[in-house]
């Protein structure tokens, strides 16, 4: 592999170390049901119970890929780690030293599995495998979306950035990281729409942005 890479054009993006054949395996994650489903060749192959993020640090909704596989990062991550290419932070599928948490919304956004299950998954799933995490970016439909402020990260932040960008308020990168440039855009939007310029995205601002009725 190393000598092949040497012949690549200097401006080429390096490929993923091992890219899975499309359609061989797909992982689907259902946070509300606390389930991770492995599909193999288009057939439902295995279902595992999981723990997911709590409402203040939700598991990211969307379609990602497994871009890293590691072992023994420490007791709280269990024996295996499968890292996802989420743009705003380090999220992955991993084991746990708290098996009682499986079946609950208790993590800081990662997907926890029983240790024996994550070892099985690690051995089965190649790098490049697509992981589809279901749900609404703004959270559980039975609850208002969370208030967002500087320091927060997530798909909901990315959604706000994108809407502010299309309205001409935000000119940064829509990366799901709420930093000072996002705060400035939020405050300017709030001033223009007769909201207190707090820099916090609250229910009233979600309404003004058209996300809530």
């Amino acid at each position: 592999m190393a000598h092949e890479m040497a012949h690549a054009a200097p401006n080429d993006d390096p490929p993923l170390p091992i890219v899975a054949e499309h359609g061989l395996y797909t992982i689907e994650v259902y946070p509300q049901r606390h389930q991770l489903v492995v599909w193999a060749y288009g057939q439902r192959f295995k279902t595992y119970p999981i723990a997911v993020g709590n409402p203040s640090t939700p598991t990211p909704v969307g379609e990602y890929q497994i871009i890293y596989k590691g072992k023994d990062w420490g007791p709280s991550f269990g024996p295996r780690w499968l890292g996802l290419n989420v743009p705003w932070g380090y999220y992955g599928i991993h084991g746990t030293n708290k098996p009682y948490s499986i079946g609950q919304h208790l993590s800081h956004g990662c997907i926890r599995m029983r240790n024996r299950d994550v070892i099985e998954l690690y051995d089965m799933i190649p790098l490049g495998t697509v992981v589809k995490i279901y749900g609404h970016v703004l959270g559980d439909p039975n609850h208002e979306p969370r208030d967002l402020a500087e320091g927060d990260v997530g798909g909901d932040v990315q959604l706000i950035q994108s809407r502010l960008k299309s309205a001409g308020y935000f000119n940064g990168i829509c990366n799901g990281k709420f930093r000072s440039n996002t705060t400035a855009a939020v405050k300017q939007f709030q001033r223009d729409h007769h909201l207190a310029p707090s820099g916090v995205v609250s229910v009233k601002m979600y309404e003004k942005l058209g996300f809530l009725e």
Side-chain angles (χ1 to χ4, degrees), residues 157-169:
V157 176
Q158 191 175 43
L159 204 58
I160 295 296
Q161 289 171 327
S162 177
R163 187 63 59 92
L164 288 170
K165 190 163 199 163
S166 63
Y169 287 91

Side-chain angles (χ1 to χ4, degrees), residues 68-83 92-96 111-124:
Y68 180 81
K69 292 171 72 173
K71 297 182 179 182
D72 301 322
W73 276 23
S76 59
F77 297 105
R80 300 289 185 274
W81 167 274
L82 295 92
I93 302 167
H94 62 78
T96 183
I111 296 157
R112 292 183 193 164
M113 302 179 71
R114 292 182 301 214
N115 288 340
R116 66 174 183 273
D117 291 345
V118 80
I119 289 171
E120 188 171 280
L121 190 73
Y122 181 98
D123 291 342
M124 181 195 325

